[in-house]
């Protein structure tokens, strides 16, 4: 298929659609349905000026794309909240997911009616905070004898900071080796905020949860991205969505694969139809 004069860089397929990116970072989609796109030949997807697509995922009826500035865009059928914009409205054009503003999207995957995204986000922790996230225990609870638990959480927080610092150094080294001027400029801007730390590999899901595929411990829909609390404190490296189930590969603190959602035909890999 012709890509408007550009050389193909990557290709993607879904149930009723296909897409490709070219070496200029442009995204071309064809043979979509409904609000996503209706066309038999590749059509370039309009994105903001200078935006270059780095990652793409096609669902059965919607699309998600991450640009090089780590912004997540979604469009297509919005049924069940699969686009993460807080409603069930379909979009014909890419729209950034506003609730992830300030975070850096690293990976994304679309299911039939749900979406999962891995982000890095500014840490809510301060020095001495026992937990990675927003909640802490009261002094009365700590007086109740949970000092060992507090010490353990402090140690975990410290180790997480060490891992983040190491990952940041490694990433900077890779960029220098690749001679990526643009990447170096972006990273220097990130590091200009004194004392800022980032949580890496945080998983959010949204859309249809009828089979538990969102991982929130229920079967409810999520209209905007919601963090998967069961993987809180884990660094998610890769994510994949099936039609009604989800899998995540975690690289820290240990390397594991987690799966959840519809296991009626054994697709969860957990040895039973659950």
């Amino acid at each position: 298929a012709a890509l408007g004069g550009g050389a193909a860089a990557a290709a993607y397929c879904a149930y009723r659609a296909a897409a490709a990116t070219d070496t200029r970072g442009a995204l071309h989609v064809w043979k979509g349905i409904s609000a996503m796109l209706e066309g038999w030949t590749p059509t370039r997807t309009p994105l903001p000026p200078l935006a270059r697509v780095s990652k793409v995922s096609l669902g059965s009826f919607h699309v998600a794309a991450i640009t090089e500035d780590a912004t997540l865009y979604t469009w297509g059928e919005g049924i069940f909240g699969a686009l993460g914009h807080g409603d069930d409205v379909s979009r014909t054009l890419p729209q950034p997911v506003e609730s992830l503003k300030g975070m850096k999207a690293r990976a994304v995957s679309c299911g039939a009616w749900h979406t999962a995204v891995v982000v890095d986000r500014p840490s809510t922790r301060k020095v001495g905070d026992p937990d990675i996230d927003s909640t802490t225990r009261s002094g009365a609870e700590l007086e109740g004898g949970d000092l060992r638990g507090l010490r353990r959480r402090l140690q975990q927080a410290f180790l997480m900071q060490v891992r983040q610092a190491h990952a940041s150094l490694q990433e900077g080294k890779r960029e220098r080796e690749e001679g990526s001027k643009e990447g170096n400029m972006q990273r220097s801007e990130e590091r200009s905020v004194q004392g800022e730390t980032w949580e890496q590999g945080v998983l959010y899901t949204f859309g249809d949860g009828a089979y538990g595929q969102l991982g929130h411990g229920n079967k409810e829909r999520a209209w905007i991205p919601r963090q998967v609390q069961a993987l809180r404190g884990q660094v998610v490296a890769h994510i994949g969505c099936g039609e009604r189930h989800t899998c995540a590969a975690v690289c820290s603190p240990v390397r594991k694969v987690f799966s959840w959602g519809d296991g009626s035909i054994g697709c969860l890999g957990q040895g039973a139809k659950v």
Side-chain angles (χ1 to χ4, degrees):
L3 300 181
Y12 310 87
C13 291
Y15 175 51
R16 293 186 178 181
T21 54
D22 62 30
T23 53
R24 301 166 299 184
L27 174 63
H28 307 261
V29 182
W30 65 96
K31 197 56 191 84
I33 62 166
S34 190
M36 189 163 63
L37 183 71
E38 292 189 14
W40 296 91
T41 59
T43 301
R44 182 168 178 169
T45 301
L47 286 164
L50 304 180
R52 293 171 55 90
V53 174
S54 60
K55 295 180 175 67
V56 178
S57 181
L58 301 180
S60 297
F61 305 96
H62 69 294
V63 185
I66 298 174
T67 51
E68 287 187 348
D69 65 356
T71 300
L72 175 65
Y73 292 83
T74 60
W75 67 102
E77 292 287 351
I79 298 174
F80 305 120
L83 303 183
H85 299 310
D87 53 40
D88 61 358
V89 177
S90 298
R91 270 84 172 174
T92 58
L93 296 174
Q95 180 174 328
V97 179
E98 291 296 332
S99 63
L100 297 179
K101 187 175 181 179
M103 305 183 193
K104 303 178 186 301
R106 299 304 186 193
V108 66
S109 184
C110 296
W113 297 110
H114 75 293
T115 308
V117 58
V118 178
V119 304
D120 297 345
R121 67 182 186 184
S123 177
T124 58
R125 286 178 301 170
K126 299 177 182 178
V127 176
D129 279 355
D131 284 321
I132 292 175
D133 229 313
S134 57
T135 57
T136 58
R137 297 192 178 187
S138 66
E141 288 178 297
L142 294 178
E143 290 174 2
D146 195 23
L147 293 178
R148 283 185 297 179
L150 173 60
R151 186 180 298 111
R152 182 175 61 255
R153 292 191 296 275
L154 286 171
Q155 290 172 343
Q156 291 173 344
F158 174 75
L159 290 174
M160 181 66 74
Q161 288 179 328
V162 171
R163 286 194 293 269
Q164 290 174 344
H166 176 72
S168 179
L169 289 173
Q170 291 297 107
E171 185 175 1
K173 181 179 178 181
R174 285 195 300 271
E175 288 173 353
R176 288 191 298 272
E177 291 174 349
E178 295 171 358
S180 174
K181 181 178 179 181
E182 181 180 354
N184 286 335
M185 290 177 62
Q186 182 178 346
R187 294 298 181 268
S188 65
E189 290 174 359
E190 292 169 5
R191 293 168 185 162
S192 66
V193 182
Q194 186 174 4
E196 184 179 38
T197 59
W198 288 77
E199 293 178 51
Q200 295 181 322
V202 183
L203 178 61
Y204 285 78
T205 59
F206 48 96
D208 183 25
Y211 293 86
Q213 64 265 50
L214 299 185
H216 301 315
N218 56 44
K219 296 183 178 181
E220 299 176 0
R221 301 170 187 171
W223 297 98
I224 60 174
R226 179 181 171 191
Q227 184 181 356
V228 176
Q229 293 295 325
L231 294 180
R232 178 176 162 184
Q234 311 270 358
V235 179
V236 178
H238 302 283
I239 187 70
C241 293
E243 181 179 1
R244 299 183 300 199
H245 71 293
T246 308
C247 294
V250 171
C251 65
S252 179
V254 295
R255 294 182 179 273
K256 288 185 177 181
V257 174
F258 294 83
S259 62
W260 59 95
D262 181 14
S264 60
I265 57 174
C267 54
L268 299 184
Q270 297 179 11
K273 295 181 179 180
V274 293

